[in-house]
């Protein structure tokens, strides 16, 4: 049972890394970016390309996956997304979900429809034995990375001037501009941060869930569930929600296999019935 909980926590941490960027853009910027999964897929393919074609080690591809997704998002934000900040939710949903299908078609054209496996370094392929129980090294790595990301994001958004500027720009753009804040620049940086984290999550996800052109659409559902359960704009909420959903999903498939993947949706409904704003959401 311990290993089931551990695997569930590791899967939850993967969901957290994939979804925390959307928590930032949706919760702090009030922008419905359903193309978030496409940025995750981009990060995954960057890792595959660098490892296969150029022989880069896995760890060095992770910051490149982050940067690639962030840079592409900056271009898209300036050209397209910026025009939608004040548009209705339907316009945001239709445009961004359209980008997911465009990204899937592009990935299919360049990489084909098959899975894109990678070979991890030997120290991540093994396991660590504790009290007679063997824990996968890569899953331990995922949990550690997620804890680091949580700490850095919480500190940046809650304890720095930049975080205060983001909150001010979101609460009242006109007042923020009157105070001399460059709201467009703040939004661009915030959007790039959220998308870059999605790219990082996509790179980390390859070993656990694989990578193919449907990645952006398939994991969009999981990402939205985590954000909804955790609460809009709450980094700790997303962390807690992802952990609960990951453990519940893996434990459910192990203990009640006939329910399969349906259990995660039951958890979603149960939590939102009790906490409509999410576990730590305020709105």
């Amino acid at each position: 049972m311990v290993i089931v909980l551990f695997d569930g926590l590791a899967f939850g941490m993967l969901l957290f890394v994939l979804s925390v960027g959307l928590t930032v853009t949706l919760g702090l910027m009030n922008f419905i970016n359903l193309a978030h999964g496409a940025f995750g897929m981009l990060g995954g393919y960057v890792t595959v390309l660098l490892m296969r074609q150029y022989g880069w080690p896995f760890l060095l591809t992770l910051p490149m996956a982050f940067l690639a997704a962030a840079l592409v998002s900056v271009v898209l934000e300036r050209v397209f997304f910026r025009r939608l900040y004040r548009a209705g939710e339907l316009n945001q949903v239709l445009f961004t979900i359209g980008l997911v299908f465009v990204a899937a078609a592009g990935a299919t054209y360049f990489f084909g429809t098959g899975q894109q496996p990678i070979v991890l370094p030997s120290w991540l392929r093994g396991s660590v034995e504790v009290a007679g129980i063997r824990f996968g090294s890569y899953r331990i790595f995922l949990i550690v990375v997620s804890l680091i990301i949580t700490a850095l994001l919480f500190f940046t958004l809650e304890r720095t001037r930049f975080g205060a500027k983001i909150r001010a720009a979101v609460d009242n753009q006109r007042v923020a501009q009157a105070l001399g804040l460059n709201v467009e620049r703040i939004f661009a940086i915030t959007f790039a941060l959220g998308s870059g984290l999605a790219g990082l999550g996509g790179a980390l996800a390859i070993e656990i869930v694989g990578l193919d052109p449907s990645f952006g659409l398939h994991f969009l559902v999981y990402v939205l569930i985590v954000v909804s359960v955790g609460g809009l704009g709450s980094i700790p909420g997303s962390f807690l929600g992802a952990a609960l959903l990951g453990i519940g999903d893996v434990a459910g498939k192990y203990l009640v296999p006939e329910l399969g993947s349906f259990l995660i949706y039951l958890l979603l409904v149960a939590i939102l019935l009790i906490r409509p704003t999410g576990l730590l959401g305020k709105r």
Side-chain angles (χ1 to χ4, degrees):
M1 189 61 184
V2 173
I3 198 65
V4 172
L5 295 176
F6 172 75
D7 286 346
L9 179 61
F11 181 60
M13 293 303 95
L14 176 60
L15 293 179
F16 169 74
V17 177
L18 282 168
S19 64
V20 68
L22 186 61
T23 298
V24 173
T25 55
L26 178 58
L28 297 181
M29 296 174 60
N30 299 314
F31 180 72
I32 305 173
N33 179 25
L34 297 187
H36 187 79
F39 291 113
M41 183 178 67
L42 172 62
Y45 278 113
V46 167
T47 290
V48 169
L49 184 64
L50 290 176
M51 291 185 70
R52 287 186 181 177
Q53 299 296 324
Y54 301 100
W56 283 41
F58 175 69
L59 288 184
L60 287 183
T61 68
L62 297 181
M64 295 307 297
F66 177 94
L67 289 175
L71 290 174
V72 170
S73 74
V74 167
V75 175
L76 293 177
E77 193 271 342
R78 293 184 67 87
V79 177
F80 298 115
F81 294 147
R82 185 170 296 183
R83 307 170 188 270
L84 295 172
Y85 285 154
R86 297 181 182 179
E89 289 84 357
L90 180 60
N91 291 333
Q92 295 175 0
V93 167
L94 291 177
F95 181 80
T96 55
I97 198 66
L99 280 182
V100 176
F101 289 106
V102 171
T108 300
Y109 178 80
F110 287 106
F111 295 95
T113 58
Q115 288 287 331
Q116 303 292 327
I118 58 174
V119 179
L120 293 176
S122 57
W123 60 275
L124 284 177
R125 293 200 302 266
S127 59
V128 177
E129 185 171 342
V130 179
I133 302 174
R134 303 189 70 86
F135 299 95
S137 299
Y138 188 71
R139 285 169 170 76
I140 296 174
F141 174 73
L142 273 180
I143 294 172
V144 172
V145 169
S146 300
L147 291 174
I148 293 173
I149 291 175
T150 303
L152 289 176
L153 277 178
F154 185 79
F155 178 79
T156 300
L157 297 177
E158 300 293 335
R159 297 289 186 268
T160 65
R161 291 185 62 185
F162 178 69
K165 289 179 180 180
I166 293 176
R167 295 193 299 274
V170 170
D171 290 339
N172 196 316
Q173 292 187 31
R174 291 184 179 179
V175 172
Q177 289 173 332
L179 292 173
L181 297 181
N182 189 334
V183 174
E184 290 187 353
R185 181 170 178 268
I186 291 171
F187 275 14
I189 294 174
T190 304
F191 195 86
L193 173 64
S195 301
L197 288 169
L200 175 62
L204 292 169
I206 300 173
E207 179 65 18
I208 302 295
V209 298
L211 177 69
D212 61 29
S214 67
F215 182 94
L217 193 60
H218 178 72
F219 279 92
L220 174 62
V221 177
Y222 285 93
V223 166
L224 290 174
I225 290 175
V226 171
V227 173
S228 300
V229 168
L232 291 179
S234 174
I235 305 300
S238 289
F239 183 88
L240 180 60
L244 288 176
L245 291 169
I247 292 173
D249 185 57
V250 173
K253 290 175 180 177
Y254 177 77
L255 299 174
V256 195
E258 57 269 18
L259 287 179
S261 300
F262 187 66
L263 186 61
I264 194 171
Y265 302 105
L266 292 179
L267 288 172
L268 168 67
V269 172
I271 292 173
L272 292 184
L273 282 175
I274 300 172
R275 297 279 301 177
T277 59
L279 295 173
L280 298 179
K282 297 180 180 179
R283 58 186 176 85

